[in-house]
Amino acid sequence: MVLEVKKPRPVWEILFSTHHTDIGLLYVYLALTAFIMGGALALVIRTELFLPGHQMGLVPDSTTFHRIFTVHGTNMLFLWLLPFASGIGNYLIPIMVRYKDMAWPKLNAVAFWMIPVGMALIWLGWSDTSWYGYPPYSTIRAPGPAAEMWIFGLKILGISSILGAINFVVTILRMKHPDLPLMKIPLFVWATLITSLMILVAMPTFAAALIMLYTDRLGVSGFFNPAMGGDPIAYQHLFWFTFHPEVYIFLIPAVGMVYEIVPKFSRKPIFSYQSGVTAFVLLAIVGFSSWAHHMYSTGMTFTEKTVFMVGTLAAVPASAMHVFNWMATMWGGRIRFRAPMAFAVGGIVLFFFAGAGGIVNTAMPLDFLTHDSYWVVGHFHLFVMGQITFSFVGFLLYFLPFITGRMYNERLAMVTFWFMFIGTSLIFLTQHVTGLYGQPRRTFDYVPVQPLIILNQISTVGAWITGTSAALLLANLFHSVARGKPANMDDPFGIGEKYYDYARREPHH
């Protein structure tokens, strides 16, 4: 089951497999492909913004610029973050709950194969609606069939997420070994369970919003069309009721992966298992109770804004419980600072800065100053690229011996970490300041004043450094898979703790 690369099988056998490890690998391959494709679009965006005005012929006009960041955003959120977490979950959850496979293997395969279809619609459609798809532009002006393809692509990805979430919930709650109590399962399993439950609550709302958006575009309804008595703000409420929790749906699996890395490389048990579970549950509740902090400027009453501001601030102690848990676990531990641990710790540092920036967005007076500026871009990307992607990359390196039987190059991995950490910090910490100077997000050009030019150039240099780190990561992965040193499968990182149950073998099907 484990040494997939050492004992290669025909590609078709993996493609048509319903075994959870094969499906997990397919998810991871697709997610990494999307990460590179979406990252390439980010480099185009940042290179275009290196100087004000039309630069270097990379982006011919503002419409193309809008198409690029629409596909970049949709791709990175729905084709990198969600599939990678699903891939790791597919591979590990049955092993961690001691069951032979996912509850419904064929449904699992169906959920995966819906993703390439959705991916094709989004990339071939090349919509310009932004990943928000806000009406009235998306209902009455956005050109077809690009917008329709974007809507159908997201619908398919949403259905895939729901099917996958149902499978995870049933596998964890119904198929786990009877001798394994729920409060003894690994925290990564808890993270997957909470994420799956959140998907089941959040996704149907957005699915309904997309159907309403589509019928509006057909002209048979006017839910969000002001000319037909509709309300565009209603779409924003439906959108954020899904996508504010969605931020935590992206984040929580990454937190679960850090819980796998930090105790092992600190060579200590996790400081407080119970508080980790509690914090997962609290984050899920807070995620659904604070969506309207995105809506402060839409005419809400002062009381409503205050309620949602307090509700959003509740995420701070819940997030801090995780950070405190990690720091308390590391405290006094015999830390082995290998690349997975470096990425985990780097992600925690960036998580702190992202959270600090988020408090500004939560506070009403400060949110009015930073709303729809580059401050928001910097804050959100520090979560996505900082905490989440750093955790994913760290876990991918930690996971590599398990799926290949080979080790990656440690020195190259550490160089990759420092490139990625410095590059990410330059891009997104700088963008907070860019936002304070008043540069709006999603714009093709900016005012040619010296501070904005310098800040955008720093961000762009950071993007090039980060792009270099992604290339180094890929080179390391390809080289390690093909010619890496065989790993000591009992303890590949020399941390004195048994690795996963790598010897377990279930027949493929």
Side-chain angles (χ1 to χ4, degrees):
M1 182 187 74
V2 178
L3 306 181
E4 315 283 355
V5 179
K6 288 183 74 175
K7 296 180 179 179
R9 291 172 290 142
V11 173
W12 62 264
E13 190 175 314
I14 297 176
L15 292 178
F16 294 101
S17 171
T18 58
H19 194 271
H20 71 98
T21 60
D22 289 333
I23 299 295
L25 284 178
L26 290 173
Y27 267 111
V28 170
Y29 293 151
L30 183 139
L32 286 173
T33 304
F35 177 59
I36 298 305
M37 293 168 66
L41 294 184
L43 288 179
V44 172
I45 293 170
R46 284 310 326 164
T47 303
E48 168 57 36
L49 295 173
F50 186 77
L51 288 171
H54 184 199
Q55 302 302 316
M56 305 181 192
L58 278 175
V59 183
D61 50 49
S62 58
T63 300
T64 305
F65 186 82
H66 293 159
R67 293 181 189 278
I68 290 173
F69 75 67
T70 296
V71 176
H72 161 74
T74 309
N75 173 87
M76 295 306 257
L77 295 177
F78 302 104
L79 298 169
W80 158 236
L81 300 182
L82 283 179
F84 187 85
S86 294
I88 300 299
N90 264 284
Y91 209 111
L92 283 182
I93 294 296
I95 295 171
M96 287 180 165
V97 301
R98 289 189 257 156
Y99 188 62
K100 60 183 180 183
D101 205 322
M102 296 292 287
W104 294 300
K106 291 181 181 177
L107 183 68
N108 203 26
V110 170
F112 168 75
W113 283 109
M114 294 177 79
I115 296 179
V117 178
M119 184 178 187
L121 286 170
I122 288 165
W123 275 86
L124 295 175
W126 210 234
S127 172
D128 68 342
T129 55
S130 89
W131 74 273
Y132 294 74
Y134 276 179
Y137 178 78
S138 60
T139 56
I140 60 178
R141 291 291 301 276
E148 281 80 6
M149 293 173 74
W150 179 82
I151 291 171
F152 277 102
L154 277 188
K155 289 287 290 183
I156 291 171
L157 294 176
I159 294 170
S160 167
S161 295
I162 290 172
L163 296 179
I166 292 171
N167 221 346
F168 277 130
V169 171
V170 175
T171 303
I172 294 169
L173 295 182
R174 302 290 297 173
M175 303 300 174
K176 70 178 178 61
H177 196 282
D179 292 340
L180 182 64
L182 201 58
M183 289 305 287
K184 293 287 185 183
I185 59 177
L187 283 169
F188 176 71
V189 182
W190 265 108
T192 305
L193 176 62
I194 296 295
T195 303
S196 301
L197 292 172
M198 291 180 74
I199 288 173
L200 294 179
V201 176
M203 277 298 172
T205 306
F206 188 56
L210 285 176
I211 292 172
M212 295 157 78
L213 197 66
Y214 182 64
T215 55
D216 277 10
R217 284 186 61 81
L218 292 176
V220 298
S221 66
F223 296 110
F224 310 125
N225 186 348
M228 298 176 71
D231 182 6
I233 301 300
Y235 173 87
Q236 295 190 27
H237 279 290
L238 294 173
F239 180 89
W240 285 115
F241 182 79
T242 299
F243 283 100
H244 188 69
E246 191 81 9
V247 173
Y248 297 97
I249 289 171
F250 299 139
L251 173 69
I252 290 175
V255 171
M257 292 178 196
V258 177
Y259 273 119
E260 286 293 303
I261 293 173
V262 168
K264 290 186 171 64
F265 285 85
S266 300
R267 291 185 268 188
K268 275 181 63 185
I270 190 69
F271 175 74
S272 172
Y273 175 93
Q274 288 80 6
S275 67
V277 175
T278 304
F280 281 141
V281 175
L282 287 176
L283 279 178
I285 295 170
V286 169
F288 284 102
S289 61
S290 55
W291 88 89
H293 88 255
H294 294 270
M295 312 291 291
Y296 285 156
S297 59
T298 58
M300 297 167 64
T301 66
F302 181 79
T303 304
E304 290 169 336
K305 291 174 189 173
T306 304
V307 168
F308 282 106
M309 183 178 75
V310 173
T312 309
L313 287 172
V316 176
S319 303
M321 286 169 71
H322 290 305
V323 176
F324 181 78
N325 246 352
W326 295 328
M327 294 178 69
T329 303
M330 287 187 272
W331 187 268
R334 294 177 298 120
I335 297 175
R336 193 166 180 82
F337 215 70
R338 303 288 291 271
M341 186 66 170
F343 276 99
V345 173
I348 294 169
V349 172
L350 295 175
F351 186 40
F352 172 81
F353 286 113
I359 293 174
V360 172
N361 298 124
T362 304
M364 282 185 285
L366 297 176
D367 180 73
F368 275 98
L369 295 175
T370 58
H371 192 78
D372 266 344
S373 75
Y374 255 80
W375 176 283
V376 179
V377 179
H379 159 66
F380 181 64
H381 280 77
L382 265 186
F383 267 118
V384 171
M385 185 64 201
Q387 168 67 34
I388 303 175
T389 298
F390 269 62
S391 303
F392 284 3
V393 173
F395 196 83
L396 180 64
L397 294 172
Y398 177 63
F399 198 45
L400 193 73
F402 187 61
I403 56 177
T404 67
R406 295 177 181 273
M407 287 300 294
Y408 61 85
N409 184 302
E410 180 67 27
R411 183 173 298 178
L412 186 56
M414 288 303 292
V415 172
T416 302
F417 164 73
W418 283 112
F419 269 58
M420 194 172 286
F421 186 79
I422 293 169
T424 301
S425 302
L426 284 177
I427 306 170
F428 302 119
L429 292 176
T430 303
Q431 286 181 350
H432 284 74
V433 185
T434 311
L436 294 179
Y437 271 98
Q439 181 172 329
R441 58 176 170 170
R442 309 189 199 107
T443 50
F444 179 53
D445 200 359
Y446 52 91
V447 180
V449 296
Q450 198 64 16
L452 286 182
I453 294 173
I454 293 173
L455 289 167
N456 276 284
Q457 288 177 345
I458 293 172
S459 287
T460 302
V461 170
W464 292 339
I465 294 173
T466 306
T468 304
S469 73
L472 292 175
L473 175 67
L474 277 185
N476 199 352
L477 292 176
F478 281 123
H479 181 266
S480 303
V481 168
R483 306 181 64 179
K485 293 180 180 176
N488 170 13
M489 294 303 290
D490 287 322
D491 186 11
F493 296 94
I495 52 181
E497 185 171 324
K498 185 173 174 55
Y499 204 38
Y500 293 112
D501 184 14
Y502 69 90
R504 181 183 132 169
R505 292 174 184 278
E506 300 288 348
H508 286 262
H509 48 77

